[in-house]
């Protein structure tokens, strides 16, 4: 037993102070009996070219989203609904993250740079043996996509009649198109992108279908300068007639929370009309097909292990038709916004939300490090 308790951690959060993400994390810190975290606004970080933290501060980087001023600074667009500008957003965001100095970081700058580039993230997962959809735009010999003509050529070359076209630096399904080619040269795309008469692209809460190749080409050509990632469209398992996937939160290497997302469209995001499904029914479906639930969660933990210097990620898991296997669609740096959801049985976070689980992981690691140092100081060998 340690001779003395480690000092309580002091948290700092880089975020938008008015955002519910910041509020939920602050509530989790307070619920653990700790002082409220110091909030460092993204507006200040971007204005000052960074921020400084003391050696005893544990620093969490939170999403810069849902703030018009921050979005304008990062993307350079006056209209927050615009889809274009994600490459500029990425360059400015990663530069701002590298401008954070001092403290003990819960989010590694190099990890974040990979997580916010779908091409690089896919390549890292694939190289680590994590199951992912096939893609011609990641890894050695990755193809460049300069517009719709390149997409069409890659579809033919790789026999991808159904695929997802994704902005390389997008999030929350912004700019994503689910493209299907049929006989006779017919093609359609399902997306939340609204193509305005002037050719500009806008995010919408309405999922729509484009069946004119001219319109699809206009959307892809407008997105291409920001970088595009292509993935084979894997047929997903269904629940009650709706396509299903999972968001699994992994904290400190362990899958702690999961939610099922179902939709009648290829886009299951809850803000686009997706609904929460039955997680217990998903577990039973996997196990009835001969797949252990622990192995399903293990796929997510293997994906998270590719980013060992980042405390928490959200993994989008795609269960295959028949529930015998699953692939990782994406790994999200800010994928922990699942309000009021408590942890999975056996996860150690059964009574905690995703933010409480992260605070508990920091405290556990702090105690472990303190005990190791205490043993070393007393000449006690490690157990």
């Amino acid at each position: 037993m340690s001779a003395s308790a480690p000092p309580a951690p002091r948290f700092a959060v880089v975020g938008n102070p008015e955002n519910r993400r910041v509020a939920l994390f602050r509530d989790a810190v307070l619920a653990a009996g700790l002082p409220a975290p110091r909030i460092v606004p993204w507006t200040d970080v971007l204005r000052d070219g960074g921020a400084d933290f003391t050696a005893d501060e544990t620093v969490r980087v939170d999403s810069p989203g849902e703030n018009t001023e921050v979005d304008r600074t990062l993307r350079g667009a006056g209209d927050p609904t615009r889809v274009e500008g994600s490459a500029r957003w990425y360059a400015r965001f990663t530069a701002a993250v590298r401008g954070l100095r001092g403290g003990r970081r819960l989010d590694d700058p190099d990890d974040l740079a990979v997580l916010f580039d779908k091409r690089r993230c896919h390549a890292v997962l694939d190289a680590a043996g994590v199951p992912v959809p096939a893609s011609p735009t990641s890894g050695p010999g990755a193809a460049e996509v300069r517009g719709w003509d390149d997409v069409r050529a890659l579809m033919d070359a790789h026999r991808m009649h159904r695929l997802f076209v994704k902005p390389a630096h997008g999030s929350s399904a912004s700019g994503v198109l689910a493209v299907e080619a049929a006989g006779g040269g017919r093609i359609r795309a399902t997306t939340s992108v609204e193509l305005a008469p002037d050719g500009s692209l806008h995010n919408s809460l309405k999922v729509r279908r484009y069946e004119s190749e001219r319109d699809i080409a206009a959307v892809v050509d407008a997105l291409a300068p920001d970088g595009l990632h292509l993935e084979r469209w894997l047929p997903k398992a269904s629940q009650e007639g709706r396509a299903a996937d999972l968001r699994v939160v992994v904290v400190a290497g362990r899958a702690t929370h999961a939610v099922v997302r179902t939709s009648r469209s290829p886009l299951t995001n809850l803000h686009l009309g997706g609904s929460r499904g039955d997680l217990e029914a998903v577990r039973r479906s996997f196990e009835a097909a001969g797949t252990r639930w622990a192995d399903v969660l293990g796929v997510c933990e293997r994906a998270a292990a590719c980013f060992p210097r980042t405390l928490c990620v959200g993994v989008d898991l795609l269960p295959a038709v028949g529930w015998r296997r699953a692939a990782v669609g994406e790994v999200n740096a800010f994928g922990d916004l699942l309000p009021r959801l408590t942890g999975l049985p056996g996860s150690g976070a059964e009574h905690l939300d995703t933010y409480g689980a992260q605070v508990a992981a920091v405290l556990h690691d702090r105690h472990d490090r303190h005990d190791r140092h205490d043993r070393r100081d007393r000449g006690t060998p490690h157990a």
Side-chain angles (χ1 to χ4, degrees):
M1 185 173 181
S2 177
S4 62
R10 295 176 60 240
F11 283 98
V13 179
V14 179
N16 295 323
E18 76 286 355
N19 194 276
R20 57 180 173 162
R21 294 174 180 270
V22 172
L24 288 167
F25 186 75
R26 181 193 61 223
D27 291 347
V29 171
L30 293 173
L34 301 171
R38 179 167 73 97
I39 309 301
V40 180
W42 271 114
T43 49
D44 293 356
V45 172
L46 294 170
R47 181 196 64 217
D48 300 337
D52 292 292
F53 300 90
T54 60
D56 65 340
E57 284 186 303
T58 298
V59 183
R60 169 186 170 86
V61 176
D62 218 326
S63 171
E66 301 179 11
N67 181 292
T68 301
E69 181 182 353
V70 171
D71 185 70
R72 183 184 300 114
T73 302
L74 289 173
R75 289 197 306 120
D79 183 347
T81 71
R82 289 292 291 270
V83 180
E84 305 95 324
S86 59
R88 184 183 297 112
W89 182 98
Y90 175 79
R92 292 178 178 177
F93 169 74
T94 53
V97 167
R98 295 189 188 284
L100 304 177
R101 300 170 292 270
R104 176 172 176 256
R105 296 284 298 280
L106 300 182
D107 315 84
D108 180 73
D110 292 335
D111 283 355
L112 290 175
V114 174
L115 287 165
F116 278 100
D117 187 324
K118 298 183 194 302
R119 300 161 300 191
R120 295 176 64 190
C121 185
H122 184 281
V124 166
L125 295 171
D126 193 33
V130 176
V132 288
S135 170
T137 55
S138 78
E144 182 182 0
V145 182
R146 294 157 297 190
W148 176 246
D149 288 345
D150 287 342
V151 174
R152 265 300 209 177
L154 289 168
M155 289 174 67
D156 292 340
H158 294 271
R159 301 192 178 194
M160 291 193 303
H161 304 300
R162 302 172 82 230
L163 76 159
F164 282 90
V165 179
K166 303 179 178 181
H169 309 299
S171 61
S172 302
S174 175
V176 172
L177 296 91
V179 178
E180 302 171 85
R186 292 174 298 156
I187 196 152
R188 71 181 180 188
T190 305
T191 180
S192 62
V193 174
E194 180 181 356
L195 177 62
D198 65 357
S200 62
L201 308 182
H202 298 263
N203 283 307
S204 168
L205 295 179
K206 177 184 177 182
V207 176
R208 64 198 72 218
R209 279 184 176 170
Y210 292 101
E211 300 193 349
S212 161
E213 185 165 357
R214 179 178 177 181
D215 288 342
I216 297 170
V219 172
V220 172
D221 288 346
L223 291 172
D226 285 319
L228 290 175
H229 175 58
L230 311 185
E231 288 182 349
R232 187 177 297 277
W233 179 343
L234 300 181
K236 290 191 290 190
S238 63
Q239 187 174 92
E240 298 184 357
R242 297 163 63 90
D245 62 19
L246 293 88
R247 166 64 59 84
V248 180
V249 176
V250 181
V251 178
R254 190 169 189 178
T256 57
H257 297 73
V259 65
V260 182
R261 307 180 301 185
T262 71
S263 177
R264 298 200 183 280
S265 89
L267 306 177
T268 59
N269 301 70
L270 299 179
H271 72 285
L272 296 178
S275 301
R276 288 196 181 188
D278 185 336
L279 183 63
E280 178 59 22
V282 165
R283 184 190 66 78
R284 290 197 303 267
S285 295
F286 272 116
E287 294 185 342
T291 304
R292 295 196 316 150
W293 180 237
D295 292 340
V296 175
L297 298 180
V299 172
C300 301
E301 292 172 349
R302 286 165 54 200
C306 294
F307 308 97
R309 296 178 300 278
T310 294
L311 176 68
C312 174
V313 294
V315 180
D316 290 345
L317 192 71
L318 316 177
V321 171
W323 300 98
R324 290 184 176 84
R325 63 185 187 279
V328 172
E330 295 189 12
V331 182
N332 305 273
F334 303 135
D336 54 2
L337 182 61
L338 299 172
R340 298 179 299 280
L341 182 70
T342 51
L344 294 165
S347 68
E350 290 86 346
H351 305 294
L352 299 171
D353 67 7
T354 59
Y355 301 98
Q358 291 170 69
V359 172
V362 171
L363 291 172
H364 183 269
D365 179 65
R366 197 176 187 91
H367 279 280
D368 274 359
R369 287 187 292 115
H370 181 79
D371 285 348
R372 288 196 298 270
H373 292 162
D374 190 58
R375 290 192 195 99
R376 183 188 63 196
D377 292 343
R378 291 184 290 133
T380 305
H382 288 256

